[in-house]
Amino acid sequence: MRAGGGAEEPDRYARVAETISAELRGAGPAAVPGRLCAVAVTLLPVDGASVSLRGDAMPVHLAASGPRAARLSLLQATLGDGPCCHVLVTGAPVLVGDLAADDCAGRWPVFAQQALGAGVRALYALPLGGAGVCVGTLDLYRDTPGVLTDPQLRTALVVAGVMTGALTDLPYDPRDGGEPWLSGLAADHDRVHQAVGMIMAQLGVGADEALARLRGDAFARGATVLEAAREVVARRRRFDAR
């Protein structure tokens, strides 16, 4: 029997809208992305969700439903690889029903291995944005293999649409004294750029090579690229022989 459609469709969207509205009630702009990640887990057969923004050289992790989803989001940023990175390049959804499949091992060998090691079997990455412009991704993680049904995918796209609105229409949080609500995130991203500049000076290499070195160092030590960048900026770690 085909799920959803016909007269059931308006009712389904009404339930989705009601759930989103209830979860966002009273939330300031800075809390909205995390709340929407939690909504996605409530509305869909997934075990985690995260959201990342497009950055100059790498995805920028913004929020997640829990620590594991946050770690997987940061892992993709650290590796510069994974479904999130693919969506940011193509602007098209990536729906992976089983990360253990051979084609996933070929496309994202390290990320797929790490995600499977964390107990994740399926991942659905959806673009945020519109009119051909992808500003970020909503990543949904699942512990069992399987695909989203058409109604479930439409629900996920509704959540992604609301997330896009939150990112573009809520630039200030009055509880933060009118400061841009993404200012803390921007500061973290600036640390990565600063670390890359320091590595360029230490090794005499270009920006791409410096970022690759930073990412490789982070992954080898089980750290995120942001954690590694903080160590470089604090001068606790160097990449030359000194």
Side-chain angles (χ1 to χ4, degrees), residues 69-96:
R71 194 73 186 180
L72 289 167
S73 174
L74 289 165
L75 176 64
Q76 293 188 77
T78 298
L79 295 173
D81 194 22
C84 166
C85 299
H86 187 82
V87 171
L88 289 174
V89 171
T90 66
V94 174
L95 308 175
V96 180

Side-chain angles (χ1 to χ4, degrees), residues 145-160:
V147 298
L148 296 177
T149 65
D150 287 344
Q152 289 166 352
L153 179 57
R154 288 194 289 269
T155 296
L157 292 171
V158 170
V159 177

Side-chain angles (χ1 to χ4, degrees), residues 213-226:
R213 294 288 189 98
L214 181 65
R215 280 173 159 159
D217 179 68
F219 182 71
R221 296 187 294 114
T224 68
V225 70
L226 177 57

